[in-house]
Amino acid sequence: MKRVMRNTLLLLIVVLLSSCITEDVPENTRRGNFEALWQAMNEHYCFFDYKAQECGVDWNEVYQRYAPAISEGMTNEQLFEVLGKMLGELRDGHVNLYAAHDIARYGAWYDDYPANFSDSLLRIYLGRTDEYRQAATLRYRVINGNIGYLRVPTFESSIGSGNIGEVMRYLSACDGLIVDVRSNGGGLLTEAQELAGLFVNETTLGGYIQHKTGSGHNDFSAPRPINIEPFAGLRWQKPAVILTNRRTFSAANAFVMFCKGLPRVTILGDRTGGGAGLPFSSELPNGWLLRLSACPMYDRNMQLTEHGNFPDEHVDITSEDYRQGRDTMIERARELLMGAMR
């Protein structure tokens, strides 16, 4: 009798535990995937208050509006379209849904603005392949007026302190430096920090970061400082201009944030694209991958740059300059740097 009671009790415990586990894991249905995505965003996304203030987004209202569109008779493409539109309500370039057939992404942060960058114009200033140098992803040369030009197309891979040191050694005789991070979509925050270290001579506060500590919209750690350490090799001590456009995003947005306000550094071009939240990834029951902003970053004045950094001087590439093979932004940067030498 005791054995029967014990076995019955064990079976009951197993059933109860199984039911709890099943209850916590959304089913791989249309509704289950919708609920899983909404809940993952609800628990981990870091900008709800900011988006409510800036864009009028109420995530609970978004749920009520999109939930009726979900039905089990939907195709994968129809489900993906609804989920993608729901995520687009947040107007965040770091919020993506990845499926085999497409990537849901929000692009109005650059689609609605001038490109302000051209590969054709860049080739005119850099020259042929044998006329400029390349160290890792960095391309650089001396342009007219004894101005150093450094093109930084990405932070996705390590640049290397040795490579940065060689760039500085080669450009050290220049009277000014242009750092071009236009259309740099970001990558590794550590690379942005190291490059910013070229412009400081002592440990300098670059901004702050917070981390999620719970599932509530306002469950965050205390702000932790992000310090910029001086580059270990030759650093830049002369005037510098950093070129930006709307596709300057994520870690590149952070690089501009780190450099803005530093002595001898001018930010020139268009407002950056933002992307001030470090990403977090989650998988839906059907295998689609959700990426979202989870850790907010602030500038040294504790202001969010999720919607970008404004330049010190706004400059667009003009149609007339483009037709004449001139990059208005590079020319204006060169003008500023040569004026600073006088």
Side-chain angles (χ1 to χ4, degrees):
M1 186 64 179
K2 289 182 179 179
R3 183 179 299 129
V4 172
M5 291 178 64
R6 184 182 63 192
N7 290 343
T8 302
L9 181 60
L10 288 172
L11 179 61
L12 181 61
I13 292 172
V14 169
V15 170
L16 288 172
L17 288 174
S18 298
S19 64
C20 289
I21 294 170
T22 304
E23 204 171 60
D24 291 340
V25 179
E27 295 182 357
N28 185 16
T29 61
R30 306 306 188 203
R31 176 64 57 184
N33 282 285
F34 171 83
E35 297 287 345
L37 181 142
W38 186 89
Q39 192 61 36
M41 294 294 298
N42 191 56
E43 293 182 0
H44 299 289
Y45 187 66
C46 67
F47 290 132
F48 280 123
D49 283 358
Y50 180 70
K51 297 295 181 176
Q53 178 182 346
E54 296 293 315
C55 313
V57 177
D58 180 334
W59 193 236
N60 288 315
E61 185 276 331
V62 169
Y63 177 94
Q64 297 298 328
R65 187 151 38 92
Y66 281 87
I70 304 299
S71 71
E72 295 308 316
M74 303 174 78
T75 65
N76 273 339
E77 286 77 9
Q78 290 169 331
L79 175 64
F80 184 87
E81 182 179 359
V82 172
L83 297 184
K85 286 182 177 178
M86 182 171 73
L87 294 174
E89 298 274 350
L90 293 166
R91 306 180 195 181
D92 187 335
H94 265 152
V95 174
N96 307 107
L97 183 62
Y98 298 85
H101 69 282
D102 202 359
I103 300 174
R105 67 272 188 202
Y106 175 74
W109 53 274
Y110 58 84
D111 284 336
D112 293 343
Y113 298 84
N116 280 325
F117 180 75
S118 165
D119 283 329
S120 298
L121 293 181
L122 181 63
R123 290 182 62 186
I124 294 173
Y125 286 86
L126 276 177
R128 297 174 58 85
T129 306
D130 58 355
E131 293 179 310
Y132 65 86
R133 293 190 172 202
Q134 181 159 350
T137 57
L138 306 177
R139 287 177 284 173
Y140 60 104
R141 70 170 301 176
V142 180
I143 61 176
N144 291 343
N146 195 36
I147 302 299
Y149 174 80
L150 174 61
R151 170 67 184 150
V152 188
T154 183
F155 287 121
E156 287 185 352
S157 57
S158 175
I159 298 171
S161 58
N163 292 324
I164 296 174
E166 285 301 311
V167 172
M168 285 295 98
R169 182 189 62 80
Y170 184 77
L171 299 178
S172 61
C174 293
D175 296 311
L177 176 66
I178 298 172
V179 181
D180 191 345
V181 291
R182 290 177 294 175
S183 297
N184 180 325
L188 302 171
L189 185 63
T190 52
E191 297 304 299
Q193 286 177 264
E194 182 167 43
L195 196 64
L198 290 175
F199 306 105
V200 300
N201 293 316
E202 59 185 12
T203 299
T204 302
L205 177 65
Y208 296 90
I209 189 170
Q210 288 181 300
H211 298 277
K212 265 286 200 168
T213 58
S215 59
H217 287 187
N218 295 302
D219 291 342
F220 293 107
S221 66
R224 181 174 62 84
I226 303 173
N227 289 322
I228 308 303
E229 300 296 337
F231 182 67
L234 189 64
R235 295 186 293 275
W236 190 257
Q237 307 295 323
K238 305 169 192 176
V241 173
I242 297 174
L243 302 184
T244 61
N245 67 352
R246 289 294 296 178
R247 283 184 178 264
T248 305
F249 187 70
S250 191
N253 179 78
F255 170 74
V256 176
M257 180 183 78
F258 297 152
C259 294
K260 189 172 183 179
L262 294 180
R264 303 179 300 278
V265 175
T266 300
I267 312 299
L268 185 146
D270 202 352
R271 182 174 60 165
T272 59
L278 292 186
F280 167 88
S281 295
S282 177
E283 186 175 339
L284 301 189
N286 64 0
W288 292 350
L289 186 67
L290 170 67
R291 186 178 75 153
L292 56 96
S293 301
C295 300
M297 286 189 294
Y298 306 82
D299 66 15
R300 56 179 61 90
N301 298 314
M302 275 301 292
Q303 298 299 307
L304 277 171
T305 61
E306 163 62 9
H307 286 169
N309 296 277
F310 286 92
D312 298 313
E313 181 176 334
H314 185 107
V315 177
D316 294 322
I317 297 178
T318 68
S319 300
E320 181 62 27
D321 276 351
Y322 187 86
R323 284 192 293 270
Q324 294 183 7
R326 287 166 43 91
D327 188 315
T328 314
M329 296 165 75
I330 292 179
E331 292 300 331
R332 176 55 182 158
R334 184 160 57 182
E335 182 180 294
L336 286 174
L337 292 169
M338 292 178 69
M341 293 183 292
R342 297 191 185 103

